[in-house]
Amino acid sequence: MTGGVTRAEYCVVACAEAWRGDGEILAAPMGAVPRIGARLARRTFAPELMLTDGEAMIVGGGPEEGDPEVVEGWLPYRAHLALVTGGRRHVMMGASQLDRHGNQNISCVGDWKRPKRQLLGVRGAPVNTLNNPTSYWVPRHSRRVFVERVDMVCGVGHDRASAAGPAATRFHDLRCVVTDLAVLDFATPDRTLRVRSLHPGVTAEAVREATGFPLDIADDVPSTREPTPAELRLIREVIDPEGAREREVPS
Amino acid sequence: MTAEEAVGRIRSGMTVGIGGWGSRRKPMALVRALLRSEVTDLTVVSFGGPDVGLLTAAGKVRKLVTAFATLDSIPLEPHFRAARERGDIELTELDESMMMWGLTAAVHRLPFLPVRAGLGSDVMTVNPGLRTVTSPYEDGEELVAVPALRLDVALVHLNRADAQGNGQYLGPDPYFDDLFCEAAAEAYLCCERVVATAEFADAGGPQTLLVKRHAVTGVIETPGGAHFTSCAPDYGRDEAFQSAYAKAAADPEAWREFTRRFLSGDEERYRAAVAAFGREGA
């Protein structure tokens, strides 16, 4: 059943992998593909993960494949913010801009005083990045997103956290960046972005071309792993039968 | 009390906190009453939604204190976006948790509360007045001192209230409405239904009694008063209407027409126009 794996399905698996080994924490995915990925992780290799319904309820699943989600806890915004600062959470946020140090922007493009384009606002990116593990999901890897300098630092990158001192770095933990082309992380000596794996069918050249700064890609960079037949069945039949993943990452 | 009476207590230049979150349980009937008033030059503190959009579109907002403005199912609030891109409003852009702790500091009559959030981010650079504070203990950590967000007036919408100002929420999330009321010198609570105090127990457990009467100045019964935002379990968001709002907001001519049709009369006319809009869609 591995034939015909779509790019979106590789992305789902790559997102799921972000939460591997996290233990009993809240997985906080933003975006359709991360949401499907987090559910895939919980139904396979990370059953201890906690998830919300996207609002105020923590939902758990039964032991059987296809069991409906049931409410197992309550997490209104005020409690959610406490959970963020307590650190028992791994969020995967979106990014309108991201630089090589992991600084992220979702607030606005252009000069903050009078932006060319107002976006969401800083939201919870500052509290997230200073307090709990943070990853990013970029459904369209492009030079518009991967920029030399972000216009407004919402999510804090390694250089900015270091400059802000020990209180900023104490719980700062950027894990990975999943895009429609590749999986990236910060496992370089100066903790800047590098490619960890390329999705099957994607060349290193294509990723370099779509990135607005020089990017470290090893000659022997591995491919993002294949979904197992069981994972593919879960994605297609149980977690995302409507195909929301394909709308976020069109084939 | 009526919405007009409540809004009549608000003066131009005041700092007004608005409860709810994004496009969820916003005191929209009070916002609409504000639109009909002469009040202007407001500082608005809000987890922003269409409340922020409507007030900025009407030129009522001088300064906004927020972490975002969103319609939830539509990610970007169109009037907020336009106002920012025109440079029309002053913005104090804080992280979500900084908002919560700023309100909490005001509730506790503290000048600030220390948080980690904000360090290293541009929240510190776009708000040059923000200061840090150093822990006097062994750790010596330098944290952000979020200043108290004191409010002149708070406006919130809950599911039920009694005439004395005790308020009950019945949805999944209290948001921060109790903090808004307690951080304010005066608070106005609108609700779906005013009930006898003894009726609270029929609708939910004691933990649903979110707002206490000592923190409330006036109660206003406004059925449908959170429309078009959600007010679970009484009603969900009116997605069709919100979508029409967002569409109209994108074009000055369409916005004039939207204003004429929905926002140029009193609350009763608003409800009649919304009902007519609903019948067109059906």
Side-chain angles (χ1 to χ4, degrees):
Chain A
M1 201 172 162
T2 49
V5 177
T6 66
R7 182 64 58 78
E9 287 161 349
Y10 283 113
C11 292
V12 165
V13 171
C15 287
E17 286 288 338
W19 285 286
R20 187 185 284 273
D22 276 355
E24 198 162 44
I25 57 133
L26 183 80
M30 306 194 179
V33 165
R35 208 157 42 238
I36 298 158
R39 278 168 169 72
L40 179 66
R42 190 184 57 188
R43 284 180 183 273
T44 53
F45 54 78
E48 334 74 275
L49 282 180
M50 295 159 69
L51 286 164
T52 74
D53 63 353
E55 295 210 20
M57 297 303 170
I58 302 174
V59 289
E64 300 299 321
E65 182 181 315
D67 279 351
E69 289 187 331
V70 292
V71 171
E72 62 169 330
W74 184 46
L75 197 69
Y77 282 120
R78 56 184 73 191
H80 203 140
L81 285 169
L83 197 122
V84 170
T85 47
R88 302 287 297 165
R89 176 180 184 258
H90 177 173
V91 64
M92 185 176 277
M93 285 191 282
S96 303
Q97 294 178 328
L98 196 69
D99 74 16
R100 71 181 72 199
H101 302 286
N103 295 295
Q104 168 251 29
N105 176 17
I106 47 173
S107 173
C108 65
V109 173
D111 180 12
W112 179 86
K113 286 197 183 72
R114 188 176 172 179
K116 268 204 298 260
R117 193 164 166 78
Q118 174 65 42
L119 304 171
L120 293 172
V122 71
R123 294 221 64 148
V127 70
N128 287 341
T129 45
L130 273 266
N131 288 284
N132 64 197
T134 301
S135 293
Y136 292 106
W137 161 239
V138 178
R140 196 175 303 168
H141 192 131
S142 74
R143 285 171 179 260
R144 280 167 69 113
V145 176
F146 290 93
V147 293
E148 193 63 52
R149 271 179 75 91
V150 304
D151 292 332
M152 162 104 179
V153 175
C154 303
V156 179
H158 287 115
D159 57 339
R160 294 284 294 252
S162 295
T169 53
R170 188 168 170 198
F171 304 116
H172 185 254
D173 184 4
L174 301 185
R175 294 281 178 85
C176 67
V177 180
V178 180
T179 80
D180 60 336
L181 301 182
V183 180
L184 303 93
D185 61 24
F186 300 90
T188 50
D190 59 352
R191 292 185 302 171
T192 54
L193 271 178
R194 60 133 203 182
V195 173
R196 181 195 286 178
S197 71
L198 295 169
H199 300 334
V202 177
T203 64
E205 193 41 52
V207 175
R208 282 198 192 93
E209 188 53 41
T211 306
F213 48 80
L215 196 58
D216 190 6
I217 307 179
D219 291 336
D220 59 348
V221 65
S223 289
T224 304
R225 80 164 171 88
E226 296 289 331
T228 67
E231 286 173 334
L232 272 183
R233 194 182 62 248
L234 279 168
I235 295 168
R236 293 172 180 175
E237 295 170 20
V238 179
I239 304 171
D240 185 32
E242 309 291 319
R245 64 193 183 281
E246 302 294 332
R247 288 192 292 279
E248 198 162 80
V249 179
S251 295
Chain B
M1 180 178 268
T2 67
E4 272 62 32
E5 283 166 343
V7 163
R9 306 281 293 270
I10 302 176
R11 299 280 162 261
S12 292
M14 278 188 166
T15 297
V16 179
I18 303 179
W21 174 286
S23 192
R24 305 174 197 197
R25 219 180 68 231
K26 284 287 176 178
M28 297 297 278
L30 291 176
V31 169
R32 287 186 284 269
L34 259 180
L35 296 180
R36 294 190 293 270
S37 76
E38 298 296 310
V39 172
T40 185
D41 197 35
L42 296 174
T43 292
V44 170
V45 179
S46 173
F47 292 98
D51 53 329
V52 162
L54 282 167
L55 291 170
T56 46
K60 303 279 191 196
V61 183
R62 180 178 59 81
K63 181 168 151 187
L64 176 66
V65 181
T66 195
F68 57 81
T70 180
L71 301 175
D72 290 301
S73 51
I74 300 170
L76 305 180
E77 212 303 323
H79 285 307
F80 166 69
R81 207 177 104 191
R84 282 279 289 147
E85 291 171 7
R86 282 194 308 263
D88 279 358
I89 48 165
E90 226 181 284
L91 179 64
T92 296
E93 186 168 354
L94 299 176
D95 169 86
E96 289 169 10
S97 68
M98 294 170 83
M99 293 276 292
M100 177 176 81
W101 290 115
L103 290 168
T104 304
V107 169
H108 293 256
R109 299 192 292 183
L110 293 169
F112 69 87
L113 279 170
V115 299
R116 203 174 297 280
L119 292 171
S121 80
D122 276 334
V123 163
M124 302 305 287
T125 47
V126 302
N127 300 295
L130 279 178
R131 295 285 175 268
T132 59
V133 60
T134 302
S135 164
Y137 299 108
E138 217 170 303
D139 57 83
E141 286 199 274
E142 187 186 358
L143 300 163
V144 177
V146 178
L149 291 171
R150 293 188 198 85
L151 311 171
D152 296 312
V153 177
L155 308 176
V156 302
H157 184 91
L158 294 179
N159 301 90
R160 306 281 179 270
D162 67 14
Q164 288 73 47
N166 295 302
Q168 183 177 38
Y169 81 105
L170 299 173
D173 200 318
Y175 310 119
F176 299 94
D177 289 359
D178 49 339
L179 296 185
F180 277 99
C181 291
E182 292 174 35
E186 296 193 347
Y188 297 93
L189 189 174
C190 60
C191 63
E192 290 301 311
R193 198 147 59 78
V194 172
V195 296
T197 311
E199 280 181 50
F200 281 143
D202 300 337
Q207 67 280 5
T208 62
L209 297 170
L210 182 67
V211 174
K212 276 140 299 275
R213 61 187 163 85
H214 76 275
V216 172
T217 316
V219 174
I220 306 105
E221 186 174 55
T222 56
H227 182 271
F228 50 90
T229 69
S230 64
C231 186
D234 291 311
Y235 46 88
R237 186 179 302 126
D238 186 341
E239 296 288 0
F241 189 89
Q242 171 163 288
S243 155
Y245 161 84
K247 208 168 152 207
D251 169 57
E253 184 54 42
W255 183 247
R256 273 193 292 278
E257 173 55 23
F258 185 94
T259 303
R260 189 197 59 74
R261 184 171 176 194
F262 296 107
L263 301 173
S264 51
D266 60 9
E267 187 68 9
E268 207 173 314
R269 259 189 67 188
Y270 175 80
R271 288 169 60 182
V274 168
F277 173 86
R279 284 193 297 275
E280 280 168 27

